[in-house]
Amino acid sequence: MLSKKTKYGIKALTYLAKRKENCPVQISEIAGHENISVKFLERILLELRKAGVLDSKKGKGGGYFLARLPKDIPMTDIIRTLEGPIAMVPCVSLNFYKKCDDCKSEEVCAVNKLMIQVRDSSLQVFKNTSLQDLINY
C-alpha cells in the first residue's frame, strides 16, 4: 500500500507542475491547497530536494520549485525517494537487494518468482509515467 508520505509527495509535485511558471511556492500554499499538514509536507519536500527532484530558494519570495521539467521526473524517482524499494520483498529488489532469512533457495522459491513479476510490472508503469503524465490526466 502507498504511504501517506508518498501520496502527499505526489500531490505536492503535481501542484507545482501544474503552475504556469516554475517559480518558488511556499510550503503553506501547497499544504493549504492539498490539505496536508505543513510540518509533514516540510519533511517530504526536504527529501525530494535532497534527491534532486525539487530545488528551493530561501528568503522573501522563496519556496520550493521543480528542479527538472515534469517530463524529466519519472515516478521511479519519486517512489524510490519517498517509499523506498519498489519491490515488495528484498530478494527481488534491484536497488536494495537482500537475501530473505527464511528462504533456502531463490531459484526454487515461488514467492520470489511471483514477486519478480510484480516488481517488473510495477517498474514498467513507474518508469514509463512521468510527472508530466500525471498532470495531463
Side-chain angles (χ1 to χ4, degrees):
M1 195 180 298
L2 198 65
S3 68
K4 278 191 177 184
K5 177 173 138 180
T6 302
K7 182 179 174 183
Y8 291 167
I10 292 170
K11 287 177 137 208
L13 288 170
T14 55
Y15 179 78
L16 291 172
K18 286 179 181 178
R19 298 178 60 81
K20 289 183 174 114
E21 295 180 21
N22 190 29
C23 56
V25 179
Q26 293 184 349
I27 295 173
S28 59
E29 179 183 332
I30 302 167
H33 189 271
E34 296 299 332
N35 197 28
I36 304 169
S37 155
V38 172
K39 285 278 190 201
F40 192 33
L41 185 57
E42 193 173 319
R43 292 194 318 257
I44 295 167
L45 298 183
L46 184 60
E47 281 187 53
L48 290 166
R49 186 179 65 76
K50 287 179 181 178
V53 175
L54 291 176
D55 206 346
S56 63
K57 179 182 173 191
K58 293 183 180 185
K60 186 175 176 151
Y64 282 91
F65 55 96
L66 297 176
R68 297 178 264 162
L69 294 173
K71 71 178 183 64
D72 297 328
I73 302 174
M75 287 298 105
T76 49
D77 289 3
I78 298 165
I79 300 294
R80 284 188 176 128
T81 297
L82 298 175
E83 198 71 31
I86 290 172
M88 296 177 77
V89 291
C91 67
V92 301
S93 180
L94 297 174
N95 295 319
F96 303 93
Y97 174 84
K98 182 181 173 204
K99 185 175 177 357
C100 293
D101 297 332
D102 59 343
C103 190
K104 292 179 184 178
S105 171
E106 291 174 10
E107 289 77 34
V108 296
C109 179
V111 173
N112 178 277
K113 302 303 176 233
L114 174 64
M115 290 299 109
I116 286 173
Q117 291 178 61
V118 171
R119 178 208 63 204
D120 290 348
S121 296
S122 298
L123 195 54
Q124 280 305 109
V125 171
F126 294 144
K127 270 185 181 176
N128 295 319
T129 305
S130 70
L131 186 55
Q132 183 68 50
D133 295 320
L134 294 186
I135 63 172
N136 288 339
Y137 287 154

